[in-house]
Amino acid sequence: MALPNYFISCDWGTSNFRLRVVETTTLTILAEHKTYCGIKLLYEKFLKQREKEQTQFFADYLKEQISSLPKEHQKHIIVAAGMASANIGLFELNYADFPLNTCGNNLIWKHLVFNNNIEILLISGAKTNSGMMRGEEIQAVGLEQELKPYKKGFLLLPGTHSKHLTYDNGIYTDLKNYMTGELFEVLSKKSILVNSVSTTSSTLLEKPFLEGVSLGLQGQLSASLFSIRAKDLLQTKTKEENYFF
């Protein structure tokens, strides 16, 4: 497959859908289009109809969204990653196995051509025996040049389920998933702590935040959580301080 002058990047996650027209040589983004119709919502819509099979249903949605891009950039090949390769997505691909080369050449990929005149290069996720990711592997590949000066280290990719990748001489050797974002949401919105935390601004309260980080590093997460409620009831900390803690 010859390298094109332009391509359409498709970042199709669980909750969001993003298209970007990219100039290949400079990686300049020339146009963008975003919707909140992620894989989960579109799959629910697919289940409610019987006219189309799953892959064609998703491909038709993709074609419809491409029409929102500038006309001269609507026929480029689409490079798709994320949940598009999941079993509830466009076309299921197996996860590639760790270790992964930082250039990404041992990821699994599939070339798809549809009768609605769209052409897709679909990229797989990656897995270890205890962790997996779909989409973040593309972020890791994109950071290859940034990591070249280092022999070893860890690449942290924050998110609802944060990914921590072990890096060793040009290879990602291991992956661990941390349910940080989801756990924070559950604790702050659905647990007994709901009425003890609050935030009205995006300004970071550094002192309680670092106090929480320190206790977490000591393995004191679970043992420290109820103190949030106690500090609120005893009025020794504000709800905002508790939120950042």
Side-chain angles (χ1 to χ4, degrees):
M1 185 184 296
L3 197 64
N5 293 326
Y6 306 94
F7 66 92
I8 299 172
S9 164
C10 177
D11 176 11
W12 210 340
T14 302
S15 305
N16 293 285
F17 172 88
R18 304 177 184 89
L19 294 176
R20 297 180 178 94
V21 178
V22 183
E23 186 178 40
T24 305
T25 54
T26 65
L27 298 182
T28 302
I29 297 173
L30 304 177
E32 293 186 73
H33 173 65
K34 174 182 176 180
T35 77
Y36 292 104
C37 192
I39 291 296
K40 182 179 178 182
L41 178 58
L42 194 60
Y43 184 70
E44 291 172 355
K45 292 182 178 181
F46 160 72
L47 293 177
K48 293 177 181 178
Q49 58 85 52
R50 292 290 182 269
E51 293 78 27
K52 300 176 184 177
E53 56 87 27
Q54 184 172 332
T55 297
Q56 190 63 54
F57 186 85
F58 276 73
D60 286 346
Y61 177 82
L62 183 54
K63 176 70 173 180
E64 178 186 335
Q65 299 309 310
I66 287 174
S67 67
S68 297
L69 296 173
K71 195 167 184 178
E72 66 272 23
H73 291 301
Q74 292 180 10
K75 294 184 179 180
H76 304 318
I77 188 169
I78 301 153
V79 180
M83 290 295 289
S85 65
N87 62 346
I88 62 170
L90 170 74
F91 186 92
E92 185 177 10
L93 290 180
N94 291 330
Y95 289 93
D97 288 314
F98 269 69
L100 288 180
N101 299 329
T102 52
C103 66
N105 64 359
N106 58 334
L107 288 167
I108 298 170
W109 60 274
K110 180 76 174 178
H111 183 211
L112 301 168
V113 180
F114 293 92
N115 57 13
N116 59 4
N117 296 317
I118 63 172
E119 182 180 2
I120 301 171
L121 183 65
L122 182 63
I123 311 297
S124 72
K127 68 176 176 64
T128 64
N129 290 332
S130 59
M132 59 184 62
M133 58 184 179
R134 285 196 191 271
E136 292 87 358
E137 70 287 335
I138 299 300
Q139 297 176 39
V141 169
L143 289 166
E144 179 188 18
Q145 295 301 318
E146 301 294 330
L147 294 174
K148 277 190 174 179
Y150 306 97
K151 289 186 176 180
K152 295 186 178 183
F154 294 94
L155 177 62
L156 310 185
L157 300 173
T160 303
H161 303 140
S162 296
K163 313 304 191 290
H164 292 199
L165 283 71
T166 304
Y167 173 81
D168 189 347
N169 289 307
I171 296 174
Y172 295 115
T173 59
D174 198 11
L175 161 70
K176 289 188 177 181
N177 298 72
Y178 291 85
M179 293 177 61
T180 48
E182 185 173 355
L183 182 59
F184 180 81
E185 182 178 19
V186 169
L187 289 170
S188 62
K189 295 183 179 180
K190 297 182 180 179
S191 77
I192 196 174
L193 304 178
V194 171
N195 295 320
S196 298
V197 296
S198 177
T199 182
T200 56
S201 75
S202 59
T203 303
L204 172 66
L205 298 185
E206 187 172 311
K207 185 177 179 181
F209 175 75
L210 292 178
E211 184 183 352
V213 170
S214 177
L215 288 170
L217 290 172
Q218 296 171 38
Q220 297 296 311
L221 172 64
S222 179
S224 303
L225 287 174
F226 195 82
S227 71
I228 294 171
R229 178 167 167 79
K231 291 171 183 176
D232 175 46
L233 293 175
L234 299 175
Q235 298 183 345
T236 58
K237 296 287 184 182
T238 67
K239 295 183 191 299
E240 285 216 341
E241 287 173 318
N242 281 338
Y243 176 89
F244 284 99
F245 171 80

